[in-house]
C-alpha cells in the first residue's frame, strides 16, 4: 500500500523555488513516502503554466524514484504536450488528469474522449484524478470503466464506498483515495494506497499508521488518524491549500516557501494561531 505525496509547490517572490521543491521531496521520501504526485491540488496544478509544470516534473524526477504527473488542462493540446514531455523521465510511472472542469455541460462522451485522447498520446499508464468537489462532476466507477483505457484512479472523495467501487468494477486498476481523513480506512480496506496532502508534513506518522494497520494494531492506527483529523480541522478555516506550507514548517522544521496568489499565504496572526491550534495533535503525531 503506497503513501503518495501530492507535493506543495514552493514559490518565492512569485517564482518557483525548484531547489526547495527537490529538497522537500528528498526529505519526505526518506521518511516513508513512496511516490510523488506532481501538480495536483496541493501542488496548485491548475494554477501553473505548462512551463512551470514541466520544470516541476524535471525536479521531481531528479529527486524521487516514483512520480505521477498530473497534466489536466482545459486546453487539450497542453495536457497532451505535458503527457508527451513526461516520456523523457524514467521515474514517471503514470500520467494523471482531472476531467475537464468548470464547464458543467460537457457530456459523459466528451469526458471519455478527453481521457482516450490522453491515453493515445502516451505510453505510460493513465490515471483518473476524480475530485468532484473541485471539478464539479463525478467520474464514478461505471463512467471510468466506460472510458476503457484507464489504469488507475485517485478518488478524492469522503466516501470509501465510492472509492472501493472502482476496485470492484476494475480489479486490476490501481485505486487510491485522496482524502486525508480516510487514510486509516483506505489502508484497512486494502486499497492500493493513499494520496494524502498530510504526507507533506507528517510522512513519518503516515508510515507508522500503515505499519499499525499491517500489524492489526487498529487502536494505535486510529489515534494517529484522529490526530491528523485535528490538524485538518484547525487548518481548513484558514484555507487548507495555504495552510499546508505552514504545516510543513511546523512539523518538519523548514520553510516550505509560499503559495502564489490568489492562493494567498497565511498572515502572521493566522500562522501563530495555526501553530498553537495544532500543538496537541503535534505531540500525538511526534515520531
Ligand atoms: C492532491 C491530492 C490530495 C487532495 C486533497 C484535496 O492532489 O493534492 O485531493 O488534499 O484537499 O491528491
Amino acid at each position: 500500500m503506497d503513501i503518495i505525496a501530492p507535493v506543495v509547490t514552493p514559490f518565492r517572490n512569485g517564482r518557483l523555488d525548484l531547489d526547495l521543491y527537490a529538497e522537500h521531496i528528498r526529505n519526505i521520501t526518506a521518511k516513508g513516502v513512496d511516490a510523488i504526485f506532481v501538480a495536483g491540488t496541493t501542488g496548485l496544478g491548475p494554477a501553473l503554466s505548462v512551463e512551470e509544470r514541466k520544470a516541476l516534473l524535471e525536479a521531481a524526477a531528479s529527486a524521487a524514484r516514483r512520480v505521477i504527473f498530473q497534466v489536466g488542462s482545459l486546453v487539450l493540446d497542453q495536457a497532451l504536450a505535458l503527457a508527451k514531455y513526461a516520456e523523457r523521465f524514467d521515474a514517471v510511472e503514470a500520467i494523471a488528469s482531472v476531467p475537464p472542469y468548470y464547464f458543467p455541460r460537457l457530456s459523459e462522451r466528451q469526458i471519455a474522449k478527453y481521457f482516450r485522447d490522453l491515453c493515445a498520446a502516451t505510453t505510460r499508464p493513465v490515471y483518473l484524478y476524480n475530485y468532484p468537489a473541485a471539478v464539479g462532476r463525478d467520474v464514478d466507477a461505471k463512467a471510468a470503466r466506460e472510458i476503457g483505457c484507464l489504469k488507475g484512479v485517485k478518488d478524492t472523495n469522503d466516501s470509501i464506498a465510492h472509492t472501493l467501487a472502482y476496485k470492484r468494477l476494475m480489479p486490476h486498476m490501481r485505486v487510491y483515495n485522496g482524502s486525508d481523513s480516510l487514510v486509516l480506512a483506505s489502508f484497512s480496506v486494502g486499497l492500493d494506497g493513499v494520496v494524502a496532502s498530510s504526507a507533506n508534513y507528517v510522512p513519518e506518522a503516515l508510515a507508522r499508521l500503515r505499519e499499525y494497520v499491517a500489524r492489526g494494531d487498529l487502536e494505535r492506527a486510529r489515534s494517529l488518524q484522529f490526530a491528523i483529523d485535528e490538524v485538518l480541522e484547525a487548518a481548513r478555516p484558514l484555507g487548507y491549500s495555504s495552510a499546508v506550507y505552514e504545516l510543513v514548517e511546523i512539523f518538519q522544521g523548514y520553510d516550505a516557501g509560499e503559495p502564489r496568489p490568489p492562493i494567498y499565504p497565511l498572515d502572521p496572526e493566522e500562522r501563530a494561531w495555526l501553530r498553537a491550534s495544532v500543538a496537541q495533535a503535534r505531540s500525538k503525531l511526534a515520531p
Side-chain angles (χ1 to χ4, degrees), residues 1 160 163-164 167 182-192 213:
M1 288 183 290
I160 199 76
T163 307
L164 265 175
K167 203 69 182 169
L182 290 181
V183 174
L184 167 61
S186 301
F187 288 150
S188 302
V189 299
L191 293 184
D192 295 292
V213 172

Side-chain angles (χ1 to χ4, degrees), residues 11 16 94-95 112 127 137 157 191 194 219 228 243 260 282:
F11 284 91
L16 289 180
I95 299 300
Y127 292 1
R137 65 188 301 149
N157 203 302
L191 293 184
V194 293
E219 202 174 319
I228 293 169
R260 178 164 66 185
R282 204 171 149 199

Side-chain angles (χ1 to χ4, degrees), residues 112-151:
K113 183 153 173 43
Y114 170 87
F115 280 102
R116 287 186 199 125
D117 284 346
L118 255 187
C119 292
T122 175
T123 60
R124 307 295 159 99
V126 173
Y127 292 1
L128 160 69
Y129 177 8
N130 190 52
Y131 190 1
V135 167
R137 65 188 301 149
D138 183 19
V139 180
D140 65 8
K142 270 194 186 150
R145 185 173 59 179
E146 271 315 294
I147 292 170
C149 64
L150 297 172
K151 299 282 191 278

Side-chain angles (χ1 to χ4, degrees), residues 6 37 39-43 129 131 154 156 178-180 195-197 236 240:
F37 195 85
T41 306
T42 312
Y129 177 8
Y131 190 1
K154 173 178 75 154
T156 294
S179 167
D180 284 275
V195 186
S197 61
R236 280 187 181 136
Y240 185 67

Side-chain angles (χ1 to χ4, degrees), residues 235-250:
R236 280 187 181 136
L238 301 174
Y240 185 67
S241 298
S242 306
V244 172
Y245 293 77
E246 191 59 30
L247 291 169
V248 174
E249 180 153 356
I250 294 172

Side-chain angles (χ1 to χ4, degrees), residues 10 16-26 55-56 59 62-63:
L16 289 180
D17 186 337
L18 295 171
D19 291 338
L20 175 55
Y21 188 68
E23 214 28 61
H24 176 55
I25 289 172
R26 281 191 207 97
L56 288 181
S62 74

